[in-house]
Every structure is written in structure tokens, then in C-alpha cells.
Amino acid sequence: MRVVIAEDGVLFRDGLVRLLGESGVVVTSAVGDAPTLLAAVAADRPDAVIVDVRMPPGQRAEGLEAALRIRAGHPGVAVLVLSHHVESVHTARLLADDAHGVGYLLKDRVADADELVDTLRRLIRGECVVDPIVVGRLLDRRAEGPAAVLSAREREVLALMAQGRSNAAIGRLLGLRPKTVEAHVRSVFARLGLPESADDHRRVLAVLGHIRGSR
């Protein structure tokens, strides 16, 4: 697996390089700004990119803007946004059209290197991995939309579905019986007008499609 890292914090960037290297990942470039990231992707042709949201030169959403350009110019490169921040507008654009190979995780919620490497592998396979908190922020942008009809528990289930969790995993995380989870999932799909699917990946895309449509 070949990866480019874009992170302006030197200590965090060096730590990522070390952790990924110890896990057998080849870091072809580790850069600190968006323009250098774009040049590195063009030169290295990596399997995946890890990028922060706020980067030089402006420290606004240059990382997400670069991610959008990578998706447009290098559709075969998976993109993992790894940040402390949730930037809703650009995130919704990043997930638009085709969410295959796109991920968004919060730095302080990544438990260890194994979880990070597993996420990268899933993205390279074409999956979509989004932190439930990110999903919640996107849903909160349209509180008056269809998601407003969901109960608090149904919103928790929806967020975990968008992370790619199976019904069994949702039950373990929320302490719910399998039949209770199934009932919540059916209710979520019915209230949002989404087709049911036993395929976890298709469920993720359906949920993200709803989020995009409710901007």
C-alpha cells in the first residue's frame, strides 16, 4: 500500500509516517501544505491520501479543496480526511457523486495504527468510512429536513450505519437486541424514504446519499 500524507503539524505528520511504516505501509511523500500534496499525488500515484482539513497557505479548508481536486483528477486514489475539524460544506461536496474510496475520521477518535491501516485498506477497496460524529454534523445542518423526524436513538443508528456498521455491530455498540436494531433500521429507512439493503456498503451509500440530498 502506497500512501501520501498531508499534515502541517510536524510532530503529528512524523508520527503518522512512523506508525504507518511500522505497519508495512509505504509512505511515498509526507507534506505540509495543499499545493505540495497535489504535486506529490501527481508524481507518486499513491493508492491513498491522508489529508487534514485546515492546511497552509490559508488554514481554512485547503486540505478538503485539495481532496476534491484529487478525486476529480485521480479518481483511483482513495482519500481519507483525518482532522480535528468537521467542515460541512466541503465534506458534503466530497461525498457527492461518488463516495467510493472516501473516508472522514476525527483524529482523537482513531484508537490505534491498526484501525487507521484497516480504514485505508477499506477505502482502497472502494468502501466509504465516515465517523458518526461527522454524519451527525451533516445531519444537523438540515434540522428541518427529513432527519428531523428521527428519534434520538434512530439518529444514533443512522450515524453508525453511515460508518459501515452491520446490524450486529450496531447492537453491540448501543446495547440493543438484534430484533430491536432491525426495527430501528427499518424505521430509519422508512422515515427517510430509502430502500432497505442487506449489503452494508450499499447502506452506507444510501445514507450518505440522503445527507447530500438534504443540504
Side-chain angles (χ1 to χ4, degrees):
M1 184 194 316
R2 291 161 46 84
V3 174
V4 169
I5 296 172
E7 163 66 51
D8 63 319
V10 176
L11 292 180
F12 189 79
R13 183 174 69 233
D14 289 349
L16 276 179
V17 172
R18 178 178 57 80
L19 287 174
L20 291 177
E22 291 174 353
S23 298
V25 176
V26 177
V27 178
T28 61
S29 298
V31 305
D33 61 76
T36 309
L37 164 63
L38 295 173
V41 171
D44 297 351
R45 301 288 179 172
D47 299 304
V49 167
I50 300 175
V51 59
D52 198 354
V53 171
R54 299 178 184 176
M55 298 187 67
Q59 289 293 348
R60 293 186 295 274
E62 284 84 353
L64 278 174
E65 291 169 357
L68 287 165
R69 293 181 62 180
I70 291 168
R71 293 293 291 174
H74 307 278
V77 177
V79 172
L80 173 61
V81 179
L82 184 63
S83 182
H84 288 302
H85 310 285
V86 180
E87 205 285 349
S88 300
V89 174
H90 287 81
T91 300
R93 288 178 56 201
L94 184 62
L95 295 171
D97 299 329
D98 185 359
H100 292 82
V102 176
Y104 200 132
L105 299 180
L106 299 180
K107 288 179 178 177
D108 57 359
R109 286 167 55 85
V110 177
D112 51 39
D114 290 341
E115 179 182 350
L116 182 60
V117 172
D118 179 65
T119 297
L120 288 170
R121 287 177 176 149
R122 291 174 62 188
L123 296 180
I124 291 170
R125 290 197 301 265
E127 296 185 35
C128 177
V129 182
V130 183
D131 189 284
I133 289 179
V134 176
V135 175
R137 297 282 180 85
L138 292 175
L139 289 171
D140 288 343
R141 295 185 68 241
R142 275 294 301 267
E144 74 279 10
V149 304
L150 300 181
S151 68
R153 178 64 84 187
E154 288 168 346
R155 287 170 65 86
E156 290 178 326
V157 170
L158 175 63
L160 290 171
M161 286 167 57
Q163 197 186 24
R165 303 286 187 176
S166 66
N167 284 3
I170 292 172
R172 288 194 300 271
L173 290 167
L174 298 181
L176 300 175
R177 296 176 180 273
K179 289 187 176 180
T180 303
V181 175
E182 292 172 7
H184 282 311
V185 170
R186 285 196 300 271
S187 179
V188 167
F189 278 126
R191 291 175 185 269
L192 299 183
L194 297 172
E196 290 192 57
S197 172
D199 185 310
D200 291 337
H201 188 205
R202 291 184 64 188
R203 295 196 331 172
V204 172
L205 297 180
V207 172
L208 293 175
H210 165 71
I211 292 171
R212 295 195 297 268
S214 62
R215 284 183 292 166

